[in-house]
Amino acid sequence: MPIDVTKPSIARMYDHLLGGQGGYASDRRVCAQLLGLAPGLRELATVNRAFLGRAVRYLAAQHEVRRYLDLGSGIPHQPHVHEIARDTRPDTHVIYIDTDPVALGQSRLLLAEDAAAATVLCADIRDTAGIVRHPRVAGLLLAGLPVAVLFGCVLECIPDEEDPWALVRDLTARLPSGSYLVVSHLTHEDPGARAEVSTFLRQALGRHWGNVRARGDVARFFTGLRMVGQDTPGDVARWNPGHPLQPATTGRGGWVQYGGVARVP
């Protein structure tokens, strides 16, 4: 798949915010402009990554989850999801799903010698029907074992008019009973701040960006599910079951990575 280095990529931008070195000038330029609008977003990328690690570690150790779908998995960063889970569940298998050619290429190179641990798929997360029809995903679901679906800072890429809430409902409805949904999502309670950043990113990324959302809109992703580790969705920096609460992130200009973990009935 050809790479147009003149156009920024959300996967490469996120990698850059995490300290990665693989981005192009277009990615670095847009990140610099984005941080001018919302300076706390570099730290929130790290908050998101740490939350996903804690969630996977908890689900593997406390709920014996061995199967994961990582949607919009992005450019690999250590420790990887399969490595975290395999610390306690050596027979874990993770399916990483993305469309970015750099993310796919690096993931496949990394996992070329460990097919038992992970599969890398090129698929748009909007295409839930196509994803669940893929033989690897279909086999994972038909096994009937709990599956954890990870949406780590990726549902922002789907605009409201494409109904990301229906996408999440559709996918969770196909999961075996006792599966889990993990969501983190960039939020702000000021409509003006949300609109400014969302408009900027849509201009930079086109259809690859949707909306920053209010916390109440993110809470809707968990409708009908039972929260795990907290009673309601919240600041994911504080999600840490069985351990002292982490510092809140609400002081960083109002930007918060919001979400949580929920169990599918």
Side-chain angles (χ1 to χ4, degrees):
M1 184 182 299
I3 301 172
D4 185 349
V5 300
T6 67
K7 295 181 179 179
S9 150
I10 188 64
R12 298 195 307 263
M13 287 173 59
Y14 183 67
D15 176 65
H16 178 69
L17 292 175
L18 286 172
Q21 304 299 314
Y24 297 102
S26 58
D27 307 303
R28 296 190 293 272
R29 181 184 68 253
V30 173
C31 279
Q33 294 171 327
L34 176 62
L35 291 172
L37 298 175
L41 295 195
R42 185 185 298 278
E43 185 176 1
L44 288 185
T46 302
V47 165
N48 174 66
R49 185 70 189 171
F51 160 67
L52 292 176
R54 291 196 305 277
V56 170
R57 189 172 292 108
Y58 175 81
L59 292 176
Q62 301 300 321
H63 297 279
E64 301 185 7
V65 178
R66 296 173 169 85
R67 302 291 180 265
Y68 298 82
L69 292 178
D70 189 351
L71 290 108
S73 51
I75 293 172
H77 276 262
Q78 291 183 320
H80 312 106
V81 170
H82 65 280
E83 292 174 330
I84 295 170
R86 283 190 159 213
D87 279 346
T88 53
R89 306 293 166 194
D91 55 344
T92 290
H93 191 86
V94 179
I95 299 180
Y96 296 102
I97 300 171
D98 211 302
T99 57
D100 184 88
V102 173
L104 292 168
Q106 293 194 16
S107 296
R108 286 168 175 153
L109 181 64
L110 175 75
L111 299 167
E113 297 181 0
D114 200 359
T119 301
V120 181
L121 299 184
C122 178
D124 191 319
I125 66 170
R126 297 169 174 85
D127 183 18
T128 54
I131 289 171
V132 299
R133 282 198 304 267
H134 188 280
R136 283 296 183 99
V137 179
L140 182 145
L141 298 178
L142 286 173
L145 299 172
V147 176
V149 173
L150 313 179
F151 286 101
C153 203
V154 68
L155 290 166
E156 298 94 323
C157 298
I158 304 175
D160 289 358
E161 55 268 26
E162 293 187 29
D163 201 349
W165 300 276
L167 180 156
V168 172
R169 286 196 306 271
D170 180 62
L171 188 55
T172 54
R174 299 170 186 263
L175 299 178
S177 177
S179 292
Y180 293 87
L181 172 69
V182 180
V183 171
S184 59
H185 194 298
L186 182 63
T187 65
H188 203 293
E189 293 304 278
D190 179 0
R194 294 198 303 269
E196 182 178 37
V197 168
S198 293
T199 298
F200 169 75
L201 286 173
R202 279 196 294 271
Q203 291 172 345
L205 297 167
R207 70 178 296 271
H208 298 292
W209 186 262
N211 296 91
V212 178
R213 297 187 169 94
R215 298 178 199 175
D217 288 329
V218 177
R220 290 171 54 198
F221 290 117
F222 298 100
T223 300
L225 307 179
R226 179 171 62 81
M227 300 304 298
V228 174
Q230 57 193 20
D231 294 333
T232 61
D235 181 345
V236 301
R238 297 173 64 82
W239 190 93
N240 202 19
H243 298 275
L245 288 178
Q246 304 298 302
T249 59
T250 52
R252 302 184 182 96
W255 297 99
V256 175
Q257 285 285 9
Y258 196 79
V261 179
R263 188 177 187 274
V264 176

